[in-house]
């Protein structure tokens, strides 16, 4: 008879670092790009991409009108020899791509990770939503799907125009919660990934090969609610959409 699973549960504290300057911003996706020392935030209110240069210091902030539909995730990845920024449309079944020249286009993912979320007040007629948190592992795009309650690994290929298209996918189900949000790599090998649940305000570390939950971080009940997540200097940072605050998670010992 196999031994029962054991998962360490740690009580974490949260430090509020700063608040985005953009008026009425609702940051819902977050990504730190170490190569350029920029923090990127997807603004769900108007679909813009907010950039914070030198996020530990001067925090120079700007925005780009990407036109994404209620985005909840953002990541940076290489494509065809250049860096592109990908935002999850969330309220539309597509990914918004910003290329190195600033051109914007969409990648359709209808039928992959889309549907009505389990916490919807209208479980039959409610609005269909798509992916939230996004991450790149060097070969595949990963995405958290609240309607599916799963984390997806997406296989990308070139379409006829040289743009990315989804050619296949695999996934593993969540162990806890019904509202997965941000994704952030938990180790340099990108074998384990953090995924928070916004309803529970907890963060779970999953083994991406087995799908097992290997660690749980419980955030304080009065902490800002976690939405998009990223890793900065080995620490988990997250954004709260209704206050535009950027926070750092301090992991406890148990």
């Amino acid at each position: 008879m196999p031994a029962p699973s054991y998962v360490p549960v740690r009580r974490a504290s949260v430090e509020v670092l700063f608040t985005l300057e953009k008026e009425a911003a609702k940051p819902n996706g977050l990504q730190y790009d170490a190569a350029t020392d920029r923090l990127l935030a997807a603004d769900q209110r108007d679909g813009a991409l907010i950039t914070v240069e030198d996020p530990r210091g001067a925090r120079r902030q700007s925005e780009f009108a990407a036109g994404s539909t209620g985005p909840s995730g953002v990541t940076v990845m290489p494509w065809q020899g250049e860096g592109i920024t990908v935002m999850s449309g969330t309220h539309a079944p597509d990914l918004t791509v910003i290329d190195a020249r600033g051109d914007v286009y969409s990648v359709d993912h209808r039928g992959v990770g889309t549907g009505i979320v389990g916490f919807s007040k209208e479980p039959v007629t409610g609005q269909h939503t798509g992916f939230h948190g996004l991450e790149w592992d060097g070969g595949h795009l990963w995405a958290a799907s609240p309607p599916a309650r799963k984390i997806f690994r997406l296989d990308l290929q070139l379409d006829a125009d040289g743009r990315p298209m989804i050619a296949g996918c695999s996934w593993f189900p969540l162990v806890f919660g019904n509202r997965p949000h941000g994704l952030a790599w938990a180790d340099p090998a990108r074998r384990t990934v953090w995924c928070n649940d916004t309803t529970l305000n907890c963060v779970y570390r999953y083994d991406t090969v087995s799908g097992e939950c290997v660690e749980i971080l419980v955030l304080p009940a009065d902490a800002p609610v976690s939405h998009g997540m990223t890793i900065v200097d080995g620490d988990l940072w997250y954004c709260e959409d209704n206050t535009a605050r950027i926070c750092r998670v301090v992991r406890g010992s148990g």
Side-chain angles (χ1 to χ4, degrees), residues 117-158:
V117 293
F119 52 87
S120 173
K121 295 179 181 179
E122 299 292 339
V124 176
T125 60
Q127 182 183 30
H128 279 243
T129 63
F131 293 134
H132 279 47
L134 300 174
E135 272 291 10
W136 175 253
D137 70 0
H140 301 88
L141 184 64
W142 291 78
S145 169
R149 302 186 190 183
K150 295 177 175 67
I151 296 176
F152 282 75
R153 191 187 80 164
L154 306 174
D155 301 323
L156 303 180
Q157 291 184 2
L158 291 171

Side-chain angles (χ1 to χ4, degrees), residues 20-30 40-51 62-74 87-91 239 241-242 244:
L20 293 176
E21 297 171 352
K22 180 183 176 182
E23 185 177 358
K26 293 180 67 67
N28 220 258
L30 200 66
L40 306 176
D43 189 346
Q44 192 171 77
R45 184 181 67 85
D46 61 5
L49 178 67
I50 301 172
T51 299
S62 60
E63 65 175 289
F64 174 77
S68 184
T69 307
S72 295
V74 58
M87 302 167 71
S88 55
T90 305
H91 291 159
C239 56
D241 75 338
N242 62 336

Side-chain angles (χ1 to χ4, degrees), residues 71-247:
S72 295
V74 58
T75 195
V76 177
M77 54 178 271
W79 188 258
Q80 291 293 89
E82 65 178 27
I84 63 174
T85 301
V86 183
M87 302 167 71
S88 55
T90 305
H91 291 159
D94 59 28
L95 301 172
T96 301
V97 177
I98 308 168
D99 69 17
R101 295 170 297 279
D103 295 331
V104 180
Y105 57 88
S106 296
V107 176
D108 181 23
H109 69 91
R110 283 174 295 168
V112 181
T114 60
I116 299 174
V117 293
F119 52 87
S120 173
K121 295 179 181 179
E122 299 292 339
V124 176
T125 60
Q127 182 183 30
H128 279 243
T129 63
F131 293 134
H132 279 47
L134 300 174
E135 272 291 10
W136 175 253
D137 70 0
H140 301 88
L141 184 64
W142 291 78
S145 169
R149 302 186 190 183
K150 295 177 175 67
I151 296 176
F152 282 75
R153 191 187 80 164
L154 306 174
D155 301 323
L156 303 180
Q157 291 184 2
L158 291 171
D159 69 7
D161 298 316
R163 296 174 174 180
M165 61 175 287
I166 297 172
C169 66
S170 58
W171 59 84
F172 60 85
L174 300 174
V175 176
F176 304 105
N178 66 357
R179 195 177 179 183
H181 207 299
L183 292 179
W185 293 117
D187 66 291
R190 299 180 178 180
R191 165 71 184 255
T192 61
V193 68
W194 293 110
C195 181
N196 58 328
D197 186 278
T198 298
T199 299
L200 301 176
N201 213 19
C202 293
V203 189
Y204 304 92
R205 182 159 63 97
Y206 289 96
D207 184 311
T208 60
V209 176
S210 67
E212 292 180 297
C213 179
V214 296
E215 185 177 359
I216 300 172
L217 301 180
V218 180
L219 306 185
D222 59 352
V225 178
S226 61
H227 289 263
M229 291 196 311
T230 193
I231 293 288
V232 182
D233 300 332
D235 293 326
L236 267 173
W237 285 26
Y238 73 81
C239 56
E240 183 181 50
D241 75 338
N242 62 336
T243 64
R245 289 183 289 187
I246 307 298
C247 305

